[in-house]
Short mmCIF file of all heavy atoms in Angstrom, two decimals:
data_model
loop_
_atom_site.label_atom_id
_atom_site.label_comp_id
_atom_site.label_asym_id
_atom_site.label_seq_id
_atom_site.Cartn_x
_atom_site.Cartn_y
_atom_site.Cartn_z
N GLN A 6 113.04 121.01 88.68
CA GLN A 6 114.39 120.56 88.60
C GLN A 6 115.40 121.70 88.43
O GLN A 6 115.06 122.75 87.86
CB GLN A 6 114.57 119.58 87.44
CG GLN A 6 113.77 118.34 87.55
CD GLN A 6 114.02 117.36 86.42
OE1 GLN A 6 113.11 116.77 85.84
NE2 GLN A 6 115.27 117.18 86.04
N LEU A 20 122.11 117.07 90.48
CA LEU A 20 120.79 117.51 90.08
C LEU A 20 119.88 117.54 91.29
O LEU A 20 120.00 116.70 92.16
CB LEU A 20 120.24 116.55 89.05
CG LEU A 20 121.00 116.32 87.77
CD1 LEU A 20 120.30 115.35 86.85
CD2 LEU A 20 121.29 117.64 87.05
N MET A 34 110.63 108.06 94.57
CA MET A 34 110.98 108.98 93.46
C MET A 34 112.09 108.31 92.65
O MET A 34 112.88 107.50 93.14
CB MET A 34 111.48 110.30 94.08
CG MET A 34 110.52 111.04 94.94
SD MET A 34 109.14 111.71 94.00
CE MET A 34 109.96 112.94 92.97
N SER A 35 112.14 108.73 91.39
CA SER A 35 113.10 108.12 90.44
C SER A 35 113.72 109.19 89.57
O SER A 35 113.21 110.30 89.42
CB SER A 35 112.39 107.09 89.62
OG SER A 35 111.84 106.02 90.37
N TRP A 36 114.82 108.77 88.95
CA TRP A 36 115.45 109.52 87.86
C TRP A 36 115.45 108.67 86.59
O TRP A 36 115.77 107.51 86.63
CB TRP A 36 116.89 109.91 88.21
CG TRP A 36 117.01 110.92 89.34
CD1 TRP A 36 117.21 110.70 90.65
CD2 TRP A 36 116.92 112.36 89.21
NE1 TRP A 36 117.24 111.84 91.40
CE2 TRP A 36 117.07 112.88 90.50
CE3 TRP A 36 116.69 113.23 88.13
CZ2 TRP A 36 117.02 114.25 90.76
CZ3 TRP A 36 116.64 114.58 88.36
CH2 TRP A 36 116.82 115.08 89.67
N VAL A 37 115.04 109.30 85.50
CA VAL A 37 114.98 108.69 84.17
C VAL A 37 115.69 109.64 83.22
O VAL A 37 115.47 110.87 83.32
CB VAL A 37 113.53 108.44 83.75
CG1 VAL A 37 113.52 107.85 82.31
CG2 VAL A 37 112.80 107.48 84.68
N ARG A 38 116.51 109.12 82.36
CA ARG A 38 117.18 110.03 81.44
C ARG A 38 116.87 109.65 79.98
O ARG A 38 116.40 108.58 79.67
CB ARG A 38 118.72 109.99 81.66
CG ARG A 38 119.39 108.65 81.31
CD ARG A 38 120.90 108.74 81.68
NE ARG A 38 121.60 107.53 81.30
CZ ARG A 38 122.89 107.33 81.55
NH1 ARG A 38 123.58 108.21 82.24
NH2 ARG A 38 123.48 106.19 81.17
N GLN A 39 117.16 110.64 79.11
CA GLN A 39 116.92 110.47 77.70
C GLN A 39 118.02 111.13 76.93
O GLN A 39 118.12 112.39 76.92
CB GLN A 39 115.58 110.99 77.32
CG GLN A 39 115.10 110.74 75.91
CD GLN A 39 113.66 111.10 75.67
OE1 GLN A 39 113.10 112.03 76.27
NE2 GLN A 39 112.95 110.26 74.88
N ALA A 40 118.86 110.37 76.28
CA ALA A 40 119.93 110.93 75.45
C ALA A 40 119.29 111.52 74.23
O ALA A 40 118.19 111.18 73.84
CB ALA A 40 120.92 109.79 75.07
N LYS A 43 117.06 109.69 71.55
CA LYS A 43 117.01 108.33 72.01
C LYS A 43 115.82 108.10 72.87
O LYS A 43 115.05 108.99 73.18
CB LYS A 43 118.28 107.97 72.77
CG LYS A 43 119.57 108.07 71.93
CD LYS A 43 119.61 107.08 70.79
CE LYS A 43 120.94 107.13 70.05
NZ LYS A 43 120.98 106.21 68.91
N GLY A 44 115.65 106.85 73.35
CA GLY A 44 114.51 106.49 74.18
C GLY A 44 114.81 106.74 75.68
O GLY A 44 115.81 107.34 76.02
N LEU A 45 113.86 106.33 76.48
CA LEU A 45 113.96 106.54 77.89
C LEU A 45 114.82 105.50 78.58
O LEU A 45 114.71 104.29 78.24
CB LEU A 45 112.54 106.52 78.54
CG LEU A 45 111.57 107.58 77.95
CD1 LEU A 45 110.13 107.32 78.49
CD2 LEU A 45 111.98 108.99 78.34
N GLU A 46 115.58 105.88 79.56
CA GLU A 46 116.43 104.95 80.31
C GLU A 46 116.28 105.27 81.80
O GLU A 46 116.57 106.36 82.27
CB GLU A 46 117.94 105.12 79.91
CG GLU A 46 118.81 104.16 80.66
CD GLU A 46 120.27 104.41 80.37
OE1 GLU A 46 120.67 105.41 79.82
OE2 GLU A 46 121.11 103.52 80.79
N TRP A 47 115.83 104.26 82.55
CA TRP A 47 115.70 104.38 83.99
C TRP A 47 117.12 104.41 84.59
O TRP A 47 117.99 103.64 84.21
CB TRP A 47 114.94 103.19 84.51
CG TRP A 47 114.77 103.18 85.99
CD1 TRP A 47 113.80 103.79 86.71
CD2 TRP A 47 115.56 102.47 86.94
NE1 TRP A 47 113.97 103.52 88.06
CE2 TRP A 47 115.05 102.71 88.21
CE3 TRP A 47 116.70 101.62 86.81
CZ2 TRP A 47 115.59 102.16 89.36
CZ3 TRP A 47 117.28 101.10 87.95
CH2 TRP A 47 116.70 101.36 89.22
N VAL A 48 117.32 105.33 85.53
CA VAL A 48 118.66 105.53 86.11
C VAL A 48 118.69 105.07 87.56
O VAL A 48 119.60 104.31 87.99
CB VAL A 48 119.04 107.01 86.05
CG1 VAL A 48 120.40 107.25 86.80
CG2 VAL A 48 119.17 107.49 84.59
N SER A 49 117.75 105.52 88.39
CA SER A 49 117.84 105.25 89.82
C SER A 49 116.51 105.52 90.46
O SER A 49 115.66 106.25 89.91
CB SER A 49 118.90 106.12 90.41
OG SER A 49 119.10 105.87 91.79
N ALA A 50 116.31 104.95 91.63
CA ALA A 50 115.06 105.18 92.39
C ALA A 50 115.37 105.14 93.88
O ALA A 50 116.37 104.51 94.32
CB ALA A 50 114.02 104.13 92.03
N ALA A 60 120.55 101.60 88.05
CA ALA A 60 120.89 100.92 86.83
C ALA A 60 122.37 100.57 86.88
O ALA A 60 123.16 101.26 87.56
CB ALA A 60 120.59 101.81 85.62
N PHE A 67 126.85 107.24 90.49
CA PHE A 67 125.73 108.11 90.83
C PHE A 67 125.22 107.73 92.18
O PHE A 67 125.19 106.59 92.61
CB PHE A 67 124.59 107.94 89.80
CG PHE A 67 124.92 108.45 88.39
CD1 PHE A 67 126.19 108.90 88.04
CD2 PHE A 67 123.94 108.42 87.42
CE1 PHE A 67 126.45 109.31 86.72
CE2 PHE A 67 124.21 108.83 86.13
CZ PHE A 67 125.45 109.28 85.79
N ILE A 69 121.70 108.55 94.50
CA ILE A 69 120.39 109.19 94.70
C ILE A 69 120.18 109.37 96.15
O ILE A 69 120.56 108.56 96.98
CB ILE A 69 119.27 108.32 94.04
CG1 ILE A 69 117.96 109.07 94.00
CG2 ILE A 69 119.13 106.95 94.80
CD1 ILE A 69 116.84 108.32 93.21
N LEU A 78 114.60 115.91 96.05
CA LEU A 78 115.30 114.74 95.54
C LEU A 78 116.60 115.17 94.90
O LEU A 78 116.68 116.24 94.29
CB LEU A 78 114.40 114.03 94.51
CG LEU A 78 115.02 112.81 93.77
CD1 LEU A 78 115.11 111.60 94.69
CD2 LEU A 78 114.13 112.51 92.55
N LEU A 80 120.30 113.86 92.70
CA LEU A 80 121.14 112.86 92.00
C LEU A 80 122.54 113.44 91.87
O LEU A 80 122.76 114.38 91.15
CB LEU A 80 120.56 112.53 90.62
CG LEU A 80 121.34 111.39 89.89
CD1 LEU A 80 121.09 110.08 90.60
CD2 LEU A 80 120.91 111.29 88.43
N MET A 82 126.08 112.97 90.48
CA MET A 82 126.73 112.24 89.42
C MET A 82 128.19 112.51 89.37
O MET A 82 128.59 113.66 89.25
CB MET A 82 126.07 112.66 88.05
CG MET A 82 124.59 112.44 88.04
SD MET A 82 123.85 112.82 86.41
CE MET A 82 124.07 114.61 86.37
N ASP A 89 126.80 109.79 79.28
CA ASP A 89 125.89 110.22 80.31
C ASP A 89 125.11 111.44 79.88
O ASP A 89 124.21 111.90 80.56
CB ASP A 89 126.61 110.56 81.64
CG ASP A 89 127.18 109.27 82.27
OD1 ASP A 89 126.52 108.22 82.31
OD2 ASP A 89 128.35 109.37 82.79
N ALA A 91 122.50 113.68 78.51
CA ALA A 91 121.09 113.40 78.35
C ALA A 91 120.27 114.46 79.03
O ALA A 91 120.77 115.28 79.82
CB ALA A 91 120.75 112.03 78.96
N VAL A 92 118.96 114.43 78.76
CA VAL A 92 118.02 115.12 79.62
C VAL A 92 117.62 114.17 80.77
O VAL A 92 117.25 113.03 80.53
CB VAL A 92 116.76 115.53 78.84
CG1 VAL A 92 115.71 116.14 79.76
CG2 VAL A 92 117.13 116.56 77.76
N TYR A 93 117.77 114.69 81.98
CA TYR A 93 117.45 113.87 83.16
C TYR A 93 116.17 114.38 83.72
O TYR A 93 115.98 115.58 83.97
CB TYR A 93 118.57 114.05 84.21
CG TYR A 93 119.79 113.25 83.84
CD1 TYR A 93 120.67 113.71 82.84
CD2 TYR A 93 120.14 112.08 84.51
CE1 TYR A 93 121.79 112.98 82.51
CE2 TYR A 93 121.30 111.37 84.19
CZ TYR A 93 122.10 111.80 83.17
OH TYR A 93 123.23 111.08 82.83
N TYR A 94 115.24 113.44 83.93
CA TYR A 94 113.94 113.75 84.52
C TYR A 94 113.83 113.13 85.89
O TYR A 94 114.18 111.97 86.12
CB TYR A 94 112.81 113.13 83.69
CG TYR A 94 112.60 113.69 82.31
CD1 TYR A 94 113.09 113.03 81.16
CD2 TYR A 94 111.93 114.89 82.07
CE1 TYR A 94 112.90 113.50 79.90
CE2 TYR A 94 111.75 115.39 80.82
CZ TYR A 94 112.21 114.69 79.72
OH TYR A 94 112.02 115.20 78.44
N CYS A 95 113.32 113.90 86.87
CA CYS A 95 112.87 113.25 88.11
C CYS A 95 111.40 112.89 87.91
O CYS A 95 110.67 113.49 87.12
CB CYS A 95 113.08 114.17 89.31
SG CYS A 95 112.08 115.71 89.28
N ALA A 96 110.95 111.87 88.61
CA ALA A 96 109.60 111.37 88.42
C ALA A 96 109.07 110.85 89.76
O ALA A 96 109.82 110.22 90.57
CB ALA A 96 109.58 110.31 87.38
N LYS A 97 107.79 111.04 89.99
CA LYS A 97 107.12 110.62 91.21
C LYS A 97 106.32 109.35 90.96
O LYS A 97 105.72 109.16 89.90
CB LYS A 97 106.18 111.75 91.66
CG LYS A 97 105.15 111.39 92.69
CD LYS A 97 104.11 112.46 92.89
CE LYS A 97 102.90 111.97 93.66
NZ LYS A 97 102.11 111.00 92.84
N ASP A 98 106.31 108.45 91.95
CA ASP A 98 105.48 107.30 91.84
C ASP A 98 104.00 107.64 91.86
O ASP A 98 103.62 108.61 92.48
CB ASP A 98 105.78 106.34 93.02
CG ASP A 98 106.57 105.14 92.61
OD1 ASP A 98 107.42 105.28 91.79
OD2 ASP A 98 106.26 104.07 93.12
N THR A 105 108.14 102.03 94.13
CA THR A 105 108.72 102.65 92.96
C THR A 105 108.47 101.91 91.66
O THR A 105 109.35 101.21 91.15
CB THR A 105 110.22 102.98 93.10
OG1 THR A 105 110.72 103.56 91.89
CG2 THR A 105 111.07 101.79 93.49
N ARG A 106 107.26 102.00 91.12
CA ARG A 106 106.92 101.24 89.96
C ARG A 106 106.53 102.08 88.78
O ARG A 106 107.09 101.88 87.67
CB ARG A 106 105.77 100.23 90.28
CG ARG A 106 106.18 99.15 91.31
CD ARG A 106 105.16 98.09 91.39
NE ARG A 106 105.41 97.19 92.49
CZ ARG A 106 106.19 96.11 92.46
NH1 ARG A 106 106.81 95.83 91.34
NH2 ARG A 106 106.31 95.33 93.49
N TYR A 107 105.59 102.99 88.92
CA TYR A 107 105.03 103.77 87.83
C TYR A 107 105.11 105.22 88.12
O TYR A 107 104.91 105.64 89.28
CB TYR A 107 103.58 103.37 87.55
CG TYR A 107 103.35 101.88 87.43
CD1 TYR A 107 102.54 101.22 88.36
CD2 TYR A 107 103.92 101.12 86.40
CE1 TYR A 107 102.34 99.86 88.31
CE2 TYR A 107 103.69 99.76 86.29
CZ TYR A 107 102.92 99.13 87.27
OH TYR A 107 102.70 97.77 87.19
N TYR A 108 105.28 106.09 87.12
CA TYR A 108 105.64 107.49 87.34
C TYR A 108 104.56 108.38 86.74
O TYR A 108 104.41 108.44 85.51
CB TYR A 108 106.98 107.76 86.74
CG TYR A 108 107.98 106.68 87.04
CD1 TYR A 108 108.60 105.97 86.03
CD2 TYR A 108 108.21 106.27 88.36
CE1 TYR A 108 109.53 104.95 86.32
CE2 TYR A 108 109.07 105.25 88.65
CZ TYR A 108 109.70 104.58 87.61
OH TYR A 108 110.56 103.54 87.90
N TYR A 110 104.00 111.86 87.69
CA TYR A 110 104.38 113.25 87.51
C TYR A 110 105.89 113.32 87.23
O TYR A 110 106.66 112.61 87.90
CB TYR A 110 104.00 114.10 88.69
CG TYR A 110 102.55 114.43 88.78
CD1 TYR A 110 101.68 113.60 89.46
CD2 TYR A 110 102.02 115.55 88.12
CE1 TYR A 110 100.34 113.89 89.53
CE2 TYR A 110 100.66 115.84 88.19
CZ TYR A 110 99.84 115.02 88.87
OH TYR A 110 98.48 115.30 88.93
N TRP A 111 106.29 114.12 86.29
CA TRP A 111 107.69 114.24 85.89
C TRP A 111 108.09 115.74 86.02
O TRP A 111 107.31 116.65 85.80
CB TRP A 111 107.83 113.79 84.49
CG TRP A 111 107.50 112.33 84.24
CD1 TRP A 111 106.26 111.76 84.39
CD2 TRP A 111 108.36 111.34 83.75
NE1 TRP A 111 106.34 110.46 84.07
CE2 TRP A 111 107.60 110.11 83.63
CE3 TRP A 111 109.70 111.30 83.36
CZ2 TRP A 111 108.13 108.94 83.23
CZ3 TRP A 111 110.23 110.10 82.92
CH2 TRP A 111 109.49 108.94 82.87
N GLY A 112 109.40 115.93 86.31
CA GLY A 112 109.96 117.25 86.27
C GLY A 112 110.09 117.72 84.80
O GLY A 112 109.78 116.99 83.85
N GLN A 113 110.52 118.93 84.68
CA GLN A 113 110.64 119.55 83.31
C GLN A 113 111.87 119.08 82.60
O GLN A 113 112.01 119.33 81.37
CB GLN A 113 110.65 121.08 83.47
CG GLN A 113 112.00 121.72 83.77
CD GLN A 113 112.34 121.75 85.24
OE1 GLN A 113 111.74 121.02 86.05
NE2 GLN A 113 113.30 122.58 85.58
N GLY A 114 112.75 118.36 83.27
CA GLY A 114 113.98 117.85 82.62
C GLY A 114 115.14 118.77 82.87
O GLY A 114 115.00 120.04 82.85
N SER A 115 116.31 118.21 83.04
CA SER A 115 117.56 118.96 83.21
C SER A 115 118.58 118.39 82.20
O SER A 115 118.87 117.22 82.19
CB SER A 115 118.17 118.78 84.61
OG SER A 115 117.32 119.37 85.57
N TYR B 36 103.49 104.89 78.45
CA TYR B 36 103.66 106.36 78.50
C TYR B 36 103.57 106.95 77.12
O TYR B 36 103.93 106.29 76.12
CB TYR B 36 105.02 106.72 79.09
CG TYR B 36 105.28 106.26 80.49
CD1 TYR B 36 105.77 104.97 80.74
CD2 TYR B 36 104.99 107.09 81.60
CE1 TYR B 36 105.99 104.54 82.06
CE2 TYR B 36 105.23 106.67 82.91
CZ TYR B 36 105.69 105.37 83.10
OH TYR B 36 105.90 104.94 84.39
N GLN B 38 104.89 110.36 74.98
CA GLN B 38 105.80 111.48 75.02
C GLN B 38 105.72 112.30 73.74
O GLN B 38 105.83 111.72 72.65
CB GLN B 38 107.26 111.04 75.28
CG GLN B 38 108.21 112.21 75.51
CD GLN B 38 109.65 111.79 75.72
OE1 GLN B 38 110.11 110.78 75.16
NE2 GLN B 38 110.34 112.57 76.56
N ALA B 43 108.07 116.02 78.83
CA ALA B 43 108.23 114.86 79.70
C ALA B 43 107.20 113.76 79.31
O ALA B 43 106.12 114.16 78.83
CB ALA B 43 108.15 115.23 81.16
N PRO B 44 107.50 112.55 79.53
CA PRO B 44 106.51 111.47 79.31
C PRO B 44 105.28 111.68 80.24
O PRO B 44 105.37 112.28 81.29
CB PRO B 44 107.25 110.21 79.69
CG PRO B 44 108.66 110.55 79.55
CD PRO B 44 108.78 111.96 79.99
N TYR B 87 105.93 104.59 74.90
CA TYR B 87 106.91 103.68 75.53
C TYR B 87 106.23 102.76 76.51
O TYR B 87 105.31 103.18 77.28
CB TYR B 87 107.93 104.43 76.30
CG TYR B 87 108.87 105.30 75.47
CD1 TYR B 87 108.54 106.65 75.22
CD2 TYR B 87 110.04 104.81 74.92
CE1 TYR B 87 109.38 107.49 74.51
CE2 TYR B 87 110.91 105.62 74.22
CZ TYR B 87 110.55 106.91 73.99
OH TYR B 87 111.39 107.74 73.24
N GLN B 89 107.00 100.17 79.82
CA GLN B 89 108.02 100.06 80.90
C GLN B 89 107.65 98.93 81.82
O GLN B 89 106.47 98.87 82.30
CB GLN B 89 108.06 101.37 81.71
CG GLN B 89 108.95 101.37 82.96
CD GLN B 89 108.17 101.76 84.21
OE1 GLN B 89 107.32 102.62 84.18
NE2 GLN B 89 108.56 101.15 85.32
N ARG B 96 114.41 98.82 86.35
CA ARG B 96 113.26 99.09 85.45
C ARG B 96 113.79 99.32 84.10
O ARG B 96 114.83 99.88 83.88
CB ARG B 96 112.48 100.29 85.96
CG ARG B 96 112.08 100.27 87.40
CD ARG B 96 111.22 99.11 87.78
NE ARG B 96 110.60 99.24 89.10
CZ ARG B 96 110.41 98.26 90.00
NH1 ARG B 96 110.80 97.04 89.60
NH2 ARG B 96 109.82 98.51 91.10
N THR B 97 113.04 98.85 83.05
CA THR B 97 113.47 99.03 81.68
C THR B 97 112.26 99.45 80.84
O THR B 97 111.14 99.03 81.07
CB THR B 97 114.09 97.72 81.13
OG1 THR B 97 113.23 96.58 81.56
CG2 THR B 97 115.47 97.47 81.67
N PHE B 98 112.61 100.23 79.83
CA PHE B 98 111.64 100.73 78.87
C PHE B 98 111.81 100.04 77.51
O PHE B 98 112.93 99.61 77.16
CB PHE B 98 111.83 102.22 78.64
CG PHE B 98 111.46 103.09 79.83
CD1 PHE B 98 112.38 103.36 80.83
CD2 PHE B 98 110.18 103.64 79.91
CE1 PHE B 98 112.05 104.16 81.91
CE2 PHE B 98 109.86 104.48 81.02
CZ PHE B 98 110.81 104.73 81.99
#
Side-chain angles (χ1 to χ4, degrees):
Chain A
Q6 297 183 224
L20 303 180
M34 299 291 294
S35 300
W36 290 97
V37 176
R38 69 184 182 183
Q39 187 168 35
K43 298 295 185 182
L45 301 171
E46 181 186 12
W47 179 85
V48 175
S49 182
F67 294 5
I69 190 172
L78 173 73
L80 184 68
M82 302 184 292
D89 293 317
V92 173
Y93 285 74
Y94 294 101
C95 62
K97 166 192 166 290
D98 254 38
T105 178
R106 296 191 189 274
Y107 311 115
Y108 317 122
Y110 285 90
W111 299 61
Q113 83 277 18
S115 294
Chain B
Y36 299 86
Q38 187 180 33
Y87 294 92
Q89 173 236 324
R96 306 302 192 216
T97 45
F98 291 87

